[in-house]
Amino acid sequence: MAGELSWIFPQKEFSLLRLEKTFIALLAVVIFLISFQQAGSWFYAILATILFLGVYVLISAIVQKFRAVEEKYFLNSTHLQITRKTKSRVKKEKVALKDIKLHKLDQLFLGGYVLTHKGKRHQLFFSNKQEVEKFDQFVKKHLKPKRRKKK
C-alpha cells in the first residue's frame, strides 16, 4: 500500500552493524600495530590480527544465535509501530506520528531515532540506505510543520 512502510532489521541471519564493522576494523589495525611492535615480525602480527577477528566473529555469531534479535518496523500515516523480539520476549512500542517532535537519521551508519514531545526516544535501525531514505521521505511527507498562529 502506498500509505505504509515496513522493514525488518536485521535482514540477514548473521550481520554486523556498520558502526560495529568500523570499530572492529580500527581495533584490528591497533592489534596489528601492537603485535608487530612487540613481536617484530609481520607473520605474528598478521596471525594475532586474524586470531582476534576469528574469535570476534565466532563470539558474535554465537551471541546472535543465542539472543535471536529481530526488530520489525511498521509506519503508516498515523503511527510508527516498533516490535523488538528476542528469544525470550517481545516488546511493542507504538508512537503516533503527531507525537513525534524530531527525527534524526544517520545514512552512513544506518541508524537513527525519533523523539516524542514527551521526551521519549525510540531507536531505529535500518539494513540498507534505501530504507533510511524511504523512512525520511515518508516522515517528512506526513509530518508537516504546524503553522504558528498570528497574534
Side-chain angles (χ1 to χ4, degrees):
M1 202 178 232
E4 296 177 349
L5 178 65
S6 64
W7 70 97
I8 297 174
F9 178 83
Q11 288 183 347
K12 300 179 217 165
E13 189 167 318
F14 176 76
S15 65
L16 298 175
L17 300 172
R18 280 192 181 180
L19 182 61
E20 187 178 11
K21 288 177 190 175
T22 304
F23 178 73
I24 295 305
L26 289 173
L27 200 53
V29 169
V30 168
I31 288 173
F32 175 80
L33 293 174
I34 290 173
S35 299
F36 183 72
Q37 181 186 20
Q38 294 292 321
S41 169
W42 290 95
F43 176 74
Y44 291 117
I46 291 172
L47 187 64
T49 305
I50 291 172
L51 182 65
F52 163 73
L53 291 173
V55 168
Y56 182 83
V57 168
L58 179 67
I59 291 172
S60 182
I62 290 170
V63 168
Q64 285 186 18
K65 206 55 149 167
F66 178 71
R67 289 199 64 221
V69 176
E70 181 181 80
E71 297 193 13
K72 292 182 181 180
Y73 299 91
F74 177 76
L75 180 66
N76 65 21
S77 59
T78 60
H79 69 277
L80 166 66
Q81 183 173 336
I82 304 169
T83 305
R84 301 181 198 282
K85 288 185 189 178
T86 61
K87 249 187 183 169
S88 59
R89 70 177 190 191
V90 175
K91 182 179 177 186
K92 292 185 179 185
E93 300 174 356
K94 196 171 187 178
V95 182
L97 283 185
K98 64 181 181 182
D99 292 339
I100 294 176
K101 177 181 178 181
L102 167 75
H103 73 286
K104 293 275 186 176
L105 302 172
D106 186 347
Q107 292 193 0
L108 179 63
F109 293 118
L110 303 176
Y113 64 90
V114 294
L115 187 65
T116 64
H117 290 287
K118 294 178 182 177
K120 188 157 183 183
R121 184 174 160 161
H122 301 274
Q123 291 292 128
L124 305 171
F125 300 101
F126 302 93
S127 296
N128 55 52
K129 199 171 185 175
Q130 291 78 19
E131 290 175 353
V132 178
E133 292 168 352
K134 286 179 185 177
F135 177 82
D136 192 34
Q137 290 172 355
F138 192 92
V139 170
K140 285 180 179 175
K141 178 182 173 186
H142 288 88
L143 267 183
K144 296 185 175 132
K146 296 177 183 173
R147 296 183 182 168
R148 293 185 179 181
K149 296 179 182 178
K150 293 183 180 182
K151 292 182 181 180

